[in-house]
Amino acid sequence: MVQAGFVAAASGPLLVKLFLALILLAVFLSLRGRETEGVMSGYAILAGFLVLRDLLYAVLPGEAVYQASDLVFFGLLCSVHARALGSRLGLWLPLAFSLVAAFLLSLKAALGLAPGLPAEVLVVIALVPIFFAFALAGRSRQSADSPGPLLLVRGRYYHLGGALFYLALGALLGRSSFAFQAFVVPLFYALGLVFAFRFVDELHEELVGAVAYYEESIDNLYDLLLASGSAVKAEFSIQEVLDRMAAAMAEKVGADGAAILLADEFDEAVAVRAVSGRFAPPWRLPESLPRSEERVADYVRHARFRLGEGLLGEVAQGGKQLYIPDAAADPRIARNGEEDWLRLSSLIAAPLVVRDRVIGAVALAKSSGEAFGERDFDRAKLLANFGSIAIANSFSFLEAAERGDIDREAAIAEGIQKTILPRKFPEISGIALGASTSPARGVCSDYYDAIQTRPERVLLAAGDVAGKGVAAGIVMAMIRAMLHLVTNSAKDTATLLAWINRGLCGKVETDQFATLALISVDTRSGEAEFANAAHQPLLIYRRDADAIETVDIKSIPIGVERGTTYAAKRLRLRAGDALVLYSDGIVEAMNEQGRQFGRKNLGNAILRYKDLPARDMAEAIRGEVLEFAGRSRQHDDQTVFVMKVKL
Amino acid sequence: MANENLRNGILEIRVDENSPLFDKTGMLHKEFPSDFRQIRYFTLLVVQSAPPDIKEINLLEQQISEIIKNAVKHGNKCNPEKKVRVWYSFSPEHAHLVVEDEGEGFRDLEKWNEFNRKRQACLEKADFETLADYVSFRTARSDDNDGGNALFAALEYWDGGFVFNQKRNAVAMLKRFPKRRMGLAADES
């Protein structure tokens, strides 16, 4: 019986219906991934339902099966639509309605009651919730903005027409009639395919729209970045970046004038930094300001607002956009005069924001012609967003460039100092030399040297140039050159100092000062001579007394006065003694408690490390200073220069 | 940020021994003999520790030089036996100095304030005839190079405060360098 029925059905319109329903299922399933609102998924379920329905009809042919399944189908259709359009009521109500009706219908058929008239009534009743759902679709028109829902809204009359057509013919011809099964049902299914094609069309349209929007946006951004980027040249100027950006924004949004304001956190104000075109100010101009175009333009260019004060001060403080298409109707806009260049017809203002920080604002003004539209406003917001990034990048770039300059100069100064300081000391019998130095970043002004003039004579020098960096390095180079030139003379150290002083004084435009201590040592006799130009007092470790001796000579640095004469002191060195020269960076090194290392600590350190070889002794003493200072910043060069008389 | 030396809109030298500007904790320290010839040298030694980030370092140097000059010349009367003590600390955001001499103290401080007030009043009234009397500030101890204008510039420059101690032989001062920090946190209201 079942088999016979199936064969009968298959020889009829069944195959066509099944094919069509399966194709629908396949099409909607394949479109499912193209949207997120679930319209295509819903339609795929509907198509699946139709496949099952027709299979059932093949097995159980009868008017009631088709009537009941149609009811469920339209109920489901309503639910799919209501879901896509966000109506919770429409989601369940028609479905529940149609399910109940379908159930009653099936019950009647099963009980063998007359199927004719009441079924049609029920079908009509089932249409009520369908109307309800479709009306909803129209109401949600505003909210539909993606292809699926949009299609439901736009095609709702076609949907309704199709449904009525199908239902009317169903009632008229009888659902189990050959005409209905062979023509109406396949035609109705084919409408589903039309719907699918319309959806693809809608997708395409959306894509084209999006592409156009992005193309335009990219064009605008490209122009904006090009405008600001080409300002980044060898001669980098923020002003140029801002000027170009203001011009580009005015052009892209179609404004008559644009103003860029930057915020100053320190002063809690925003100030106009760049103006392009004719920017009619939206704020009230002072009465005393002459109403000449030039004076007003100049005034605008230097305008400044406290944060939160005035329209633009509010934009900068609140970080909110301002869109005033009709300035004449807005009480916030000041009317400053009737002249063309004072009239403001339309205004857009947007904050410049980078990572939650408002860095300023951009204001765009129109004086005449068409008011700014929503699209202009969108464009202005987009440009403001990217403009902010460009401005922030420019500032970062500038900062990096400046930092780079500082670092480069520091590196050069360090290089100069390294070249000037002796890499290793001459091997001289009877004495041992050692030094340890550490430049402070960017300072590099300590100098020391040991020059062997005769086999038994060595000249030790230690100095500190006032000032820092490359400038100090150049002075150091001059001093070194002069020193090496004059050491070969038989003159005493005081005379050498006087000569170097004269060499330094008045030779260069700017003042150059340095301390310089010179010690001439006869390594055979132990006779020594110490002359000092304001360098730190010489400390001598005396082995006999196992104590520190301080030798100081009051004097002024070299470079102060051309005629300065210096005094020298004679010293007698014995085996085991040690001379220690050091820079002020050693004794003035400060610890975290704000105390200076001092000469007393230095003396103690010398006593502690007196038995180490000269080089190690110098290192150890400086190491002690380092430990003393802890984590506080080294603010000056630190140098320890040691000469030990061998035992 | 407003200049701390403004009182009712007029720059004024203050005397306040307890000003926090006299707190020398953590400040570097140097002592110099009162040798007029070496003022530039001393200035360089102090400014040397200013970080390279400070812009307009020349202006800072000039201002420090003026203060040391005042201490050497007016405070210690160029007596090389008397010392000038300087405490200083710098950062990219500030310059803080305390300069102390061994002199008798700035006795004409009130007179200078009065002088400045009157000059300001002339300016406001646009009374340029009287203003001519206030071109320079002179006392019995002034020489040709003194005019009190360096003090005026100092009050302008040291915008974080310019304060004398009770004895008026020490002055503490603070200069603020606005850090270039762009923008402000968005007000999420």
Side-chain angles (χ1 to χ4, degrees):
Chain A
M1 166 69 196
V2 170
Q3 201 178 1
F6 195 80
V7 171
S11 61
L14 173 67
L15 282 181
V16 178
K17 291 191 296 177
L18 271 181
F19 270 137
L20 274 170
L22 280 170
I23 289 172
L24 274 182
L25 179 63
V27 167
F28 287 126
L29 279 177
S30 74
L31 287 176
R32 204 175 42 162
R34 304 293 292 274
E35 51 123 38
T36 50
E37 276 77 12
V39 176
M40 290 301 118
S41 306
Y43 269 72
I45 292 171
L46 287 172
F49 176 80
L50 290 179
V51 171
L52 292 176
R53 186 266 295 265
D54 281 313
L55 282 175
L56 182 70
Y57 181 67
V59 180
L60 259 176
E63 188 81 10
V65 171
Y66 239 79
Q67 279 176 341
S69 62
D70 273 352
L71 276 171
V72 176
F73 173 79
F74 283 108
L76 280 172
L77 185 69
C78 281
S79 291
V80 169
H81 284 213
R83 183 167 173 268
L85 296 168
S87 157
R88 205 170 294 175
L89 199 61
L91 191 60
W92 299 114
L93 201 62
L95 185 62
F97 217 126
S98 58
L99 279 176
V100 170
F103 175 73
L104 289 176
L105 199 68
S106 311
L107 199 64
K108 277 180 67 171
L111 294 176
L113 295 174
L117 192 68
E120 295 314 318
V121 173
L122 281 171
V123 169
V124 175
I125 291 171
L127 268 175
V128 175
I130 297 171
F131 270 115
F132 170 73
F134 276 61
L136 255 178
R139 215 187 61 181
S140 315
R141 194 192 190 96
Q142 294 296 329
S143 60
D145 57 354
S146 56
L150 209 60
L151 196 57
L152 296 185
V153 173
R154 284 192 190 151
R156 65 194 196 280
Y157 296 114
Y158 297 103
H159 278 113
L160 197 57
L164 283 173
F165 162 78
Y166 173 80
L167 289 171
L169 285 178
L172 209 66
L173 302 172
R175 284 180 169 73
S176 46
S177 70
F178 179 77
F180 186 80
Q181 290 292 328
F183 299 106
V184 181
V185 173
L187 192 65
F188 184 65
Y189 287 6
L191 283 180
L193 279 178
V194 174
F195 179 75
F197 288 132
R198 287 285 303 122
F199 175 74
V200 174
D201 230 29
E202 202 70 52
L203 270 184
H204 179 71
E205 221 169 277
E206 187 198 44
L207 205 64
V208 169
V211 168
Y213 175 75
Y214 287 123
E215 266 180 358
E216 192 213 295
S217 300
I218 289 170
D219 277 355
N220 286 341
L221 293 179
Y222 178 79
D223 290 349
L224 183 79
L225 290 181
L226 191 70
S228 57
S230 56
V232 183
K233 289 174 299 201
E235 281 291 308
F236 180 81
S237 125
I238 291 280
Q239 189 56 51
E240 206 175 330
V241 172
L242 296 177
D243 284 342
R244 282 165 185 257
M245 198 166 286
M249 283 190 179
E251 190 202 318
K252 292 294 161 197
V253 183
D256 294 317
I260 292 181
L261 297 89
L262 289 188
D264 185 336
E265 188 179 43
F266 197 68
D267 286 343
E268 300 193 327
V270 277
V272 174
R273 294 287 299 272
V275 177
S276 170
R278 186 188 275 170
F279 183 79
W283 64 88
R284 182 155 299 290
L285 296 173
E287 291 301 326
S288 57
L289 183 73
R291 294 299 195 266
S292 84
E293 190 169 357
E294 208 172 298
R295 290 294 297 274
V296 170
D298 194 56
Y299 177 82
V300 166
R301 212 169 279 280
H302 295 101
R304 208 178 158 76
F305 308 94
R306 293 194 65 74
L307 280 180
E309 230 176 60
L311 220 49
L312 300 180
E314 273 173 31
V315 169
Q317 189 185 42
K320 293 187 180 65
Q321 291 113 355
L322 201 66
Y323 172 48
I324 306 180
D326 184 7
D330 199 296
R332 289 172 294 179
I333 305 288
R335 261 158 291 280
N336 286 307
E338 280 317 303
E339 292 88 338
D340 270 356
W341 42 271
L342 275 178
R343 200 172 43 234
L344 180 63
S345 66
S346 205
L347 179 81
I348 289 174
L352 299 169
V353 185
V354 181
R355 272 189 237 105
D356 293 340
R357 292 181 70 76
V358 180
I359 61 167
V362 57
L364 297 151
K366 260 188 185 239
S367 299
S368 54
E370 211 178 312
F372 284 127
E374 288 274 0
R375 256 188 108 80
D376 297 325
F377 184 41
D378 278 350
R379 216 171 288 151
K381 284 188 282 190
L382 180 81
L383 290 174
N385 282 342
F386 281 84
S388 321
I389 297 169
I391 293 173
N393 283 347
S394 303
F395 274 108
S396 308
F397 177 79
L398 198 68
E399 215 165 280
E402 276 171 10
R403 173 113 337 252
D405 282 350
I406 292 171
D407 288 344
R408 208 160 25 247
E409 157 141 19
I412 293 171
E414 224 172 299
I416 295 175
Q417 189 185 31
K418 227 179 195 162
T419 329
I420 291 173
L421 297 182
R423 219 155 302 162
K424 67 185 231 249
F425 292 113
E427 293 286 339
I428 301 164
S429 65
I431 62 159
L433 295 165
S436 173
T437 186
S438 150
R441 181 179 170 266
V443 179
C444 306
S445 63
D446 276 5
Y447 168 64
Y448 61 86
D449 213 342
I451 308 162
Q452 190 173 15
T453 52
R454 285 197 295 274
E456 76 292 349
R457 188 181 169 228
V458 66
L459 184 79
L460 309 181
D464 183 358
V465 179
K468 57 182 173 177
V470 173
I474 291 168
V475 177
M476 194 187 293
M478 286 165 61
I479 292 173
R480 180 182 182 274
M482 288 191 278
L483 189 64
H484 279 251
L485 202 69
V486 297
T487 36
N488 273 326
S489 77
K491 294 289 182 186
D492 64 351
T493 47
T495 310
L496 296 183
L497 267 186
W499 282 355
I500 293 169
N501 175 55
R502 197 167 306 159
L504 199 63
C505 274
K507 276 291 185 295
V508 246
E509 284 295 305
T510 50
D511 300 337
Q512 309 290 354
F513 312 106
T515 65
L516 189 59
L518 297 179
I519 307 173
S520 167
V521 182
D522 186 321
T523 52
R524 273 194 303 213
S525 66
E527 294 279 340
E529 189 187 77
F530 170 58
N532 192 8
H535 200 66
Q536 291 289 328
L538 168 68
L539 296 187
I540 307 174
Y541 168 68
R542 292 295 190 185
R543 192 164 181 274
D544 293 350
D546 193 30
I548 304 292
E549 182 187 330
T550 307
V551 187
D552 195 12
I553 304 171
K554 274 212 163 165
S555 55
I556 63 172
I558 56 173
V560 176
E561 263 190 346
R562 198 172 156 76
T564 310
T565 53
Y566 294 90
K569 271 187 184 168
R570 300 208 146 267
L571 308 167
R572 171 157 285 281
L573 302 176
R574 293 175 197 89
D577 286 356
L579 299 178
V580 180
L581 288 162
Y582 52 93
S583 61
D584 53 0
I586 292 286
V587 281
E588 288 171 9
M590 215 161 63
N591 68 5
E592 284 160 80
Q593 286 75 48
R595 266 203 302 280
Q596 294 188 334
F597 187 66
R599 208 165 293 141
K600 192 158 176 278
N601 277 334
L602 177 61
N604 290 337
I606 294 171
L607 288 173
R608 197 164 316 137
Y609 304 117
K610 62 187 190 228
D611 294 326
L612 292 178
R615 165 97 196 266
D616 297 351
M617 185 174 160
E619 287 287 357
I621 293 170
R622 205 173 59 74
E624 192 143 307
V625 175
L626 212 65
E627 200 177 307
F628 171 85
R631 269 180 303 177
S632 47
R633 191 175 74 92
Q634 183 190 341
H635 59 92
D636 198 0
D637 289 9
Q638 296 174 349
T639 302
V640 180
F641 183 20
V642 175
M643 189 202 88
K644 293 188 84 169
V645 183
K646 285 184 182 160
L647 282 169
Chain B
M1 232 177 269
N3 188 318
E4 300 285 337
N5 301 312
L6 282 172
R7 288 292 172 278
N8 302 320
I10 294 174
L11 293 172
E12 193 180 274
I13 308 175
R14 278 181 298 144
V15 176
D16 180 6
E17 180 98 29
N18 300 317
S19 165
L21 293 184
F22 279 108
D23 179 4
K24 296 161 187 157
T25 314
M27 293 173 81
L28 301 172
H29 173 57
K30 275 188 190 289
E31 281 183 13
F32 308 119
S34 297
D35 183 350
F36 199 75
R37 301 167 300 173
Q38 294 191 58
I39 287 169
R40 252 197 61 75
Y41 169 65
F42 300 149
T43 305
L44 273 176
L45 287 188
V46 170
V47 176
Q48 181 177 303
S49 76
D53 318 60
I54 295 182
K55 314 241 156 48
E56 297 172 352
I57 193 89
N58 291 336
L59 194 56
L60 174 67
E61 199 177 302
Q62 195 185 325
Q63 288 298 332
I64 293 176
S65 169
E66 283 299 332
I67 303 301
I68 296 179
K69 194 198 282 178
N70 267 341
V72 168
K73 185 178 170 183
H74 300 298
N76 290 342
K77 310 281 181 239
C78 293
N79 177 355
E81 296 308 313
K82 290 186 175 175
K83 283 196 158 50
V84 173
R85 292 181 178 82
V86 183
W87 290 263
Y88 54 100
S89 97
F90 301 103
S91 80
E93 284 88 43
H94 86 287
H96 177 197
L97 272 89
V98 180
V99 178
E100 185 183 289
D101 58 49
E102 296 175 1
E104 55 187 5
F106 183 22
R107 286 196 298 190
D108 297 322
L109 190 146
E110 277 81 11
K111 275 190 204 163
W112 190 92
N113 276 340
E114 185 56 26
F115 165 83
N116 192 44
R117 254 193 299 278
K118 283 182 182 157
R119 172 159 70 174
Q120 198 61 34
C122 289
L123 275 172
E124 270 163 31
K125 284 185 292 188
D127 178 359
F128 296 111
E129 268 181 40
T130 324
L131 186 66
D133 299 338
Y134 295 103
V135 170
S136 69
F137 176 68
R138 295 189 162 276
T139 66
R141 288 172 287 271
S142 299
D143 68 23
D144 287 350
N145 295 318
D146 302 333
N149 286 319
L151 264 176
F152 189 80
L155 289 174
E156 283 273 14
Y157 183 80
W158 302 101
D159 59 358
F162 189 82
V163 189
F164 276 85
N165 65 348
Q166 209 59 48
K167 216 188 139 201
R168 298 168 187 206
N169 68 330
V171 59
M173 64 212 82
L174 176 70
K175 168 71 182 172
R176 295 171 297 204
F177 302 108
K179 196 175 172 208
R180 181 163 56 210
R181 224 180 94 165
M182 271 212 314
L184 23 124
D187 185 7
E188 295 296 334
S189 56

